[in-house]
Amino acid sequence: MTVFSYQVAEDESGLRLDKFLSEKPELPSRSYLQRLIAENQVLVNQRPAKSNYKLQEGNHIVVSIPEPKELSVEAEAMDLDIFYEDEDVLVVNKPKGMVVHPAAGHENHTLVNGLLYHCRGNLSGINGILRPGIVHRIDRDTTGLLLICKNDFSHTCIAEQLSAHSITRRYHAIIHGVLPEDGTINAPIGRNPNDRMKMAVNYKNGKEAVTHYHVLEPLKNFTYVECRLETGRTHQIRVHMASIRHPLLGDTVYGQAKPPFTLEGQTLHAKILGFIHPRSKKYLEFEAPLPEYFEKLLMKLRI
């Protein structure tokens, strides 16, 4: 069992317990923390507390994270497109249509299934049973680079970089409409209050979200852009671009229900990924070429 201990400072007084813990980069995801709280694995002044408990200066918090249970997810042999690998991390180029980790309706054939086979189970366990090695993720229909952690040491280091917004993540996308110039979207993202299955710009309950966009090429009725993530909220690029009335081509959730061309989801590719290696402390950067469907679509739109 791994144990983390914290003392609440004066400027942290009044924070909810789950909010306080979710801001600690060495701890797992907020949903996993809430499960730990419900299971009385989080103590405030030696007593169990609820997620919405309002902290006071001087409170002593102890978080106990049980050893990862044996995975019920099956390892599957897959032809993974691996860009880099060592004893700590692995960079993989995810194809379109592949789900990152098992979930309801997607128990098999996920990236995690393939990673378990390739890495022989040597993956970080901080993010729980179903997400070994996963420190960040991309949508099923988004292609491109993902960083996988092979042990808890590397997971903690990469999580700290994500929290500090120091990881380079540049995505290429095709959006509806002609975008005249570069810009930045700084708008919090949270659950859509009218549809809990969607995310939305939410100034009341959303989390900070910043996307910088750069025009790569104007196209007829569309624009080819690069989006640089400063934060990493769920569906961030899709929600932000839709919020300025330039939804991603092919995005039937935040854009047109019946988009032009025959596409399987949004035209979004995680092209560039850069980070400080957890052990060597050297900066590494990788670039994945655009997938074939994306290249063909660009050629069609240039005519």
Side-chain angles (χ1 to χ4, degrees), residues 15 19 32 57 59 68 77-78 90 120 127 135 145 147 159 161 168 176 196 199 211 216 218 242 273 293:
L15 285 177
K19 168 78 171 167
Y32 185 67
E57 180 184 0
N59 281 163
M78 293 182 184
L90 180 150
R120 301 296 188 267
N127 251 351
V135 67
L145 298 176
L147 177 59
Q161 292 181 52
T168 301
H176 282 271
R196 300 295 294 175
M199 307 302 287
T211 303
L216 293 171
L273 176 66
Y293 92 91

mmCIF file of all heavy atoms in Angstrom, residues 15 19 32 57 59 68 77-78 90 120 127 135 145 147 159 161 168 176 196 199 211 216 218 242 273 293:
data_model
loop_
_atom_site.group_PDB
_atom_site.id
_atom_site.type_symbol
_atom_site.label_atom_id
_atom_site.label_comp_id
_atom_site.label_asym_id
_atom_site.label_seq_id
_atom_site.Cartn_x
_atom_site.Cartn_y
_atom_site.Cartn_z
ATOM 1 N N LEU A 15 -11.363 24.592 0.801
ATOM 2 C CA LEU A 15 -11.440 23.721 -0.372
ATOM 3 C C LEU A 15 -12.156 22.423 -0.023
ATOM 4 O O LEU A 15 -12.047 21.910 1.094
ATOM 5 C CB LEU A 15 -10.042 23.388 -0.891
ATOM 6 C CG LEU A 15 -9.266 24.458 -1.648
ATOM 7 C CD1 LEU A 15 -7.876 23.927 -1.995
ATOM 8 C CD2 LEU A 15 -9.999 24.867 -2.921
ATOM 9 N N LYS A 19 -11.423 18.237 -4.281
ATOM 10 C CA LYS A 19 -10.759 19.286 -5.059
ATOM 11 C C LYS A 19 -9.298 19.426 -4.616
ATOM 12 O O LYS A 19 -8.384 19.515 -5.447
ATOM 13 C CB LYS A 19 -11.493 20.612 -4.859
ATOM 14 C CG LYS A 19 -10.774 21.848 -5.377
ATOM 15 C CD LYS A 19 -10.878 21.992 -6.856
ATOM 16 C CE LYS A 19 -10.342 23.344 -7.304
ATOM 17 N NZ LYS A 19 -10.148 23.421 -8.757
ATOM 18 N N TYR A 32 -10.941 8.194 -9.415
ATOM 19 C CA TYR A 32 -10.355 7.138 -8.591
ATOM 20 C C TYR A 32 -10.232 7.607 -7.145
ATOM 21 O O TYR A 32 -10.481 6.843 -6.200
ATOM 22 C CB TYR A 32 -8.987 6.747 -9.148
ATOM 23 C CG TYR A 32 -8.347 5.566 -8.437
ATOM 24 C CD1 TYR A 32 -8.900 4.290 -8.525
ATOM 25 C CD2 TYR A 32 -7.195 5.726 -7.673
ATOM 26 C CE1 TYR A 32 -8.320 3.214 -7.887
ATOM 27 C CE2 TYR A 32 -6.604 4.645 -7.026
ATOM 28 C CZ TYR A 32 -7.181 3.391 -7.135
ATOM 29 O OH TYR A 32 -6.609 2.324 -6.487
ATOM 30 N N GLU A 57 -7.582 24.949 7.835
ATOM 31 C CA GLU A 57 -6.138 25.057 8.011
ATOM 32 C C GLU A 57 -5.674 24.118 9.131
ATOM 33 O O GLU A 57 -6.279 24.056 10.201
ATOM 34 C CB GLU A 57 -5.752 26.496 8.351
ATOM 35 C CG GLU A 57 -4.253 26.690 8.542
ATOM 36 C CD GLU A 57 -3.888 28.107 8.972
ATOM 37 O OE1 GLU A 57 -4.815 28.936 9.115
ATOM 38 O OE2 GLU A 57 -2.687 28.373 9.170
ATOM 39 N N ASN A 59 -5.652 20.838 8.994
ATOM 40 C CA ASN A 59 -6.149 19.467 8.847
ATOM 41 C C ASN A 59 -5.035 18.543 8.343
ATOM 42 O O ASN A 59 -4.252 18.927 7.464
ATOM 43 C CB ASN A 59 -7.306 19.416 7.843
ATOM 44 C CG ASN A 59 -8.634 19.865 8.426
ATOM 45 O OD1 ASN A 59 -9.566 20.169 7.690
ATOM 46 N ND2 ASN A 59 -8.746 19.933 9.741
ATOM 47 N N PRO A 68 -2.174 -2.329 -6.593
ATOM 48 C CA PRO A 68 -3.050 -2.659 -7.729
ATOM 49 C C PRO A 68 -3.491 -4.118 -7.688
ATOM 50 O O PRO A 68 -2.682 -5.013 -7.435
ATOM 51 C CB PRO A 68 -2.164 -2.382 -8.953
ATOM 52 C CG PRO A 68 -1.121 -1.437 -8.467
ATOM 53 C CD PRO A 68 -0.880 -1.786 -7.031
ATOM 54 N N ALA A 77 -2.445 -9.781 -28.408
ATOM 55 C CA ALA A 77 -1.366 -9.499 -29.358
ATOM 56 C C ALA A 77 -1.873 -8.510 -30.407
ATOM 57 O O ALA A 77 -2.902 -8.753 -31.036
ATOM 58 C CB ALA A 77 -0.897 -10.788 -30.019
ATOM 59 N N MET A 78 -1.176 -7.393 -30.560
ATOM 60 C CA MET A 78 -1.560 -6.365 -31.522
ATOM 61 C C MET A 78 -0.320 -5.823 -32.214
ATOM 62 O O MET A 78 0.783 -5.867 -31.661
ATOM 63 C CB MET A 78 -2.283 -5.198 -30.822
ATOM 64 C CG MET A 78 -3.622 -5.516 -30.238
ATOM 65 S SD MET A 78 -4.376 -4.041 -29.498
ATOM 66 C CE MET A 78 -5.868 -4.752 -28.804
ATOM 67 N N LEU A 90 6.844 4.628 -23.001
ATOM 68 C CA LEU A 90 6.603 4.129 -24.346
ATOM 69 C C LEU A 90 5.743 5.157 -25.063
ATOM 70 O O LEU A 90 4.787 5.685 -24.484
ATOM 71 C CB LEU A 90 5.907 2.777 -24.251
ATOM 72 C CG LEU A 90 5.536 2.015 -25.518
ATOM 73 C CD1 LEU A 90 5.570 0.519 -25.233
ATOM 74 C CD2 LEU A 90 4.146 2.389 -26.003
ATOM 75 N N ARG A 120 4.156 -7.092 -21.201
ATOM 76 C CA ARG A 120 4.112 -8.222 -20.258
ATOM 77 C C ARG A 120 3.670 -7.782 -18.868
ATOM 78 O O ARG A 120 4.192 -8.229 -17.849
ATOM 79 C CB ARG A 120 5.487 -8.912 -20.181
ATOM 80 C CG ARG A 120 5.992 -9.459 -21.508
ATOM 81 C CD ARG A 120 5.091 -10.570 -22.035
ATOM 82 N NE ARG A 120 5.647 -11.236 -23.201
ATOM 83 C CZ ARG A 120 5.394 -10.894 -24.468
ATOM 84 N NH1 ARG A 120 4.587 -9.862 -24.729
ATOM 85 N NH2 ARG A 120 5.925 -11.565 -25.470
ATOM 86 N N ASN A 127 -3.234 4.588 -11.973
ATOM 87 C CA ASN A 127 -4.569 4.937 -12.462
ATOM 88 C C ASN A 127 -5.554 3.777 -12.411
ATOM 89 O O ASN A 127 -6.578 3.799 -13.083
ATOM 90 C CB ASN A 127 -4.490 5.505 -13.881
ATOM 91 C CG ASN A 127 -4.774 7.001 -13.903
ATOM 92 O OD1 ASN A 127 -5.187 7.569 -12.888
ATOM 93 N ND2 ASN A 127 -4.565 7.640 -15.022
ATOM 94 N N VAL A 135 -1.553 7.776 -18.576
ATOM 95 C CA VAL A 135 -1.406 9.030 -17.837
ATOM 96 C C VAL A 135 -2.140 10.162 -18.540
ATOM 97 O O VAL A 135 -2.485 11.169 -17.948
ATOM 98 C CB VAL A 135 0.095 9.366 -17.647
ATOM 99 C CG1 VAL A 135 0.758 9.690 -18.969
ATOM 100 C CG2 VAL A 135 0.292 10.479 -16.643
ATOM 101 N N LEU A 145 -0.170 10.423 -31.238
ATOM 102 C CA LEU A 145 0.793 10.004 -30.218
ATOM 103 C C LEU A 145 0.256 10.034 -28.795
ATOM 104 O O LEU A 145 -0.373 11.009 -28.376
ATOM 105 C CB LEU A 145 2.039 10.889 -30.308
ATOM 106 C CG LEU A 145 2.803 10.814 -31.634
ATOM 107 C CD1 LEU A 145 3.949 11.811 -31.645
ATOM 108 C CD2 LEU A 145 3.317 9.400 -31.891
ATOM 109 N N LEU A 147 1.616 8.961 -24.712
ATOM 110 C CA LEU A 147 2.725 8.597 -23.836
ATOM 111 C C LEU A 147 2.234 7.603 -22.797
ATOM 112 O O LEU A 147 1.258 7.869 -22.084
ATOM 113 C CB LEU A 147 3.286 9.852 -23.168
ATOM 114 C CG LEU A 147 4.409 9.672 -22.154
ATOM 115 C CD1 LEU A 147 5.609 8.994 -22.782
ATOM 116 C CD2 LEU A 147 4.810 11.038 -21.585
ATOM 117 N N ALA A 159 2.908 12.900 -14.681
ATOM 118 C CA ALA A 159 1.708 13.564 -14.146
ATOM 119 C C ALA A 159 2.050 14.963 -13.643
ATOM 120 O O ALA A 159 1.269 15.908 -13.808
ATOM 121 C CB ALA A 159 1.099 12.726 -13.020
ATOM 122 N N GLN A 161 4.411 16.891 -14.848
ATOM 123 C CA GLN A 161 4.593 17.729 -16.034
ATOM 124 C C GLN A 161 3.256 18.123 -16.646
ATOM 125 O O GLN A 161 3.071 19.264 -17.091
ATOM 126 C CB GLN A 161 5.444 16.991 -17.071
ATOM 127 C CG GLN A 161 6.892 16.795 -16.644
ATOM 128 C CD GLN A 161 7.716 16.084 -17.707
ATOM 129 O OE1 GLN A 161 7.737 16.493 -18.866
ATOM 130 N NE2 GLN A 161 8.385 15.006 -17.317
ATOM 131 N N THR A 168 4.588 19.150 -24.311
ATOM 132 C CA THR A 168 4.222 19.682 -25.625
ATOM 133 C C THR A 168 3.212 18.744 -26.276
ATOM 134 O O THR A 168 3.486 17.552 -26.468
ATOM 135 C CB THR A 168 5.460 19.792 -26.533
ATOM 136 O OG1 THR A 168 6.416 20.655 -25.921
ATOM 137 C CG2 THR A 168 5.085 20.347 -27.900
ATOM 138 N N HIS A 176 -14.477 23.485 -39.763
ATOM 139 C CA HIS A 176 -15.439 24.130 -40.646
ATOM 140 C C HIS A 176 -15.195 25.643 -40.680
ATOM 141 O O HIS A 176 -14.846 26.257 -39.660
ATOM 142 C CB HIS A 176 -16.866 23.887 -40.146
ATOM 143 C CG HIS A 176 -17.388 22.518 -40.461
ATOM 144 N ND1 HIS A 176 -18.058 22.222 -41.629
ATOM 145 C CD2 HIS A 176 -17.335 21.352 -39.757
ATOM 146 C CE1 HIS A 176 -18.408 20.948 -41.633
ATOM 147 N NE2 HIS A 176 -17.982 20.396 -40.504
ATOM 148 N N ARG A 196 -25.472 15.377 -20.040
ATOM 149 C CA ARG A 196 -24.331 14.922 -19.249
ATOM 150 C C ARG A 196 -23.367 14.042 -20.044
ATOM 151 O O ARG A 196 -22.273 13.759 -19.570
ATOM 152 C CB ARG A 196 -24.828 14.142 -18.020
ATOM 153 C CG ARG A 196 -25.726 14.950 -17.091
ATOM 154 C CD ARG A 196 -24.975 16.094 -16.453
ATOM 155 N NE ARG A 196 -23.929 15.656 -15.543
ATOM 156 C CZ ARG A 196 -23.075 16.464 -14.946
ATOM 157 N NH1 ARG A 196 -23.125 17.768 -15.187
ATOM 158 N NH2 ARG A 196 -22.163 15.992 -14.117
ATOM 159 N N MET A 199 -19.414 17.442 -23.105
ATOM 160 C CA MET A 199 -18.706 18.496 -22.403
ATOM 161 C C MET A 199 -19.114 19.834 -23.031
ATOM 162 O O MET A 199 -19.665 19.876 -24.133
ATOM 163 C CB MET A 199 -17.192 18.299 -22.503
ATOM 164 C CG MET A 199 -16.705 16.929 -22.070
ATOM 165 S SD MET A 199 -17.147 16.495 -20.369
ATOM 166 C CE MET A 199 -16.021 17.574 -19.466
ATOM 167 N N THR A 211 -6.565 26.613 -25.130
ATOM 168 C CA THR A 211 -6.138 26.055 -26.416
ATOM 169 C C THR A 211 -5.613 27.180 -27.294
ATOM 170 O O THR A 211 -6.293 28.192 -27.488
ATOM 171 C CB THR A 211 -7.312 25.366 -27.137
ATOM 172 O OG1 THR A 211 -7.874 24.354 -26.302
ATOM 173 C CG2 THR A 211 -6.857 24.757 -28.459
ATOM 174 N N LEU A 216 -2.692 26.784 -40.400
ATOM 175 C CA LEU A 216 -1.682 26.174 -41.253
ATOM 176 C C LEU A 216 -1.965 26.417 -42.733
ATOM 177 O O LEU A 216 -1.054 26.680 -43.510
ATOM 178 C CB LEU A 216 -1.617 24.662 -40.995
ATOM 179 C CG LEU A 216 -1.115 24.226 -39.615
ATOM 180 C CD1 LEU A 216 -1.308 22.725 -39.437
ATOM 181 C CD2 LEU A 216 0.347 24.608 -39.423
ATOM 182 N N PRO A 218 -5.480 27.831 -45.335
ATOM 183 C CA PRO A 218 -6.899 28.041 -45.631
ATOM 184 C C PRO A 218 -7.334 27.112 -46.754
ATOM 185 O O PRO A 218 -6.596 26.900 -47.721
ATOM 186 C CB PRO A 218 -6.952 29.511 -46.061
ATOM 187 C CG PRO A 218 -5.572 29.816 -46.550
ATOM 188 C CD PRO A 218 -4.642 28.958 -45.772
ATOM 189 N N ALA A 242 -15.665 24.308 -31.434
ATOM 190 C CA ALA A 242 -17.111 24.447 -31.638
ATOM 191 C C ALA A 242 -17.640 25.713 -30.971
ATOM 192 O O ALA A 242 -18.571 26.355 -31.479
ATOM 193 C CB ALA A 242 -17.842 23.222 -31.095
ATOM 194 N N LEU A 273 4.429 15.330 -29.798
ATOM 195 C CA LEU A 273 4.422 15.079 -28.359
ATOM 196 C C LEU A 273 5.840 15.239 -27.826
ATOM 197 O O LEU A 273 6.775 14.614 -28.318
ATOM 198 C CB LEU A 273 3.921 13.652 -28.076
ATOM 199 C CG LEU A 273 3.946 13.174 -26.621
ATOM 200 C CD1 LEU A 273 2.964 13.980 -25.779
ATOM 201 C CD2 LEU A 273 3.606 11.683 -26.552
ATOM 202 N N TYR A 293 -6.059 8.768 -44.410
ATOM 203 C CA TYR A 293 -7.361 9.374 -44.684
ATOM 204 C C TYR A 293 -7.285 10.894 -44.599
ATOM 205 O O TYR A 293 -7.940 11.621 -45.365
ATOM 206 C CB TYR A 293 -8.422 8.826 -43.712
ATOM 207 C CG TYR A 293 -8.587 9.656 -42.454
ATOM 208 C CD1 TYR A 293 -9.521 10.691 -42.399
ATOM 209 C CD2 TYR A 293 -7.786 9.449 -41.328
ATOM 210 C CE1 TYR A 293 -9.659 11.473 -41.261
ATOM 211 C CE2 TYR A 293 -7.915 10.220 -40.199
ATOM 212 C CZ TYR A 293 -8.859 11.236 -40.166
ATOM 213 O OH TYR A 293 -8.992 12.027 -39.047
#
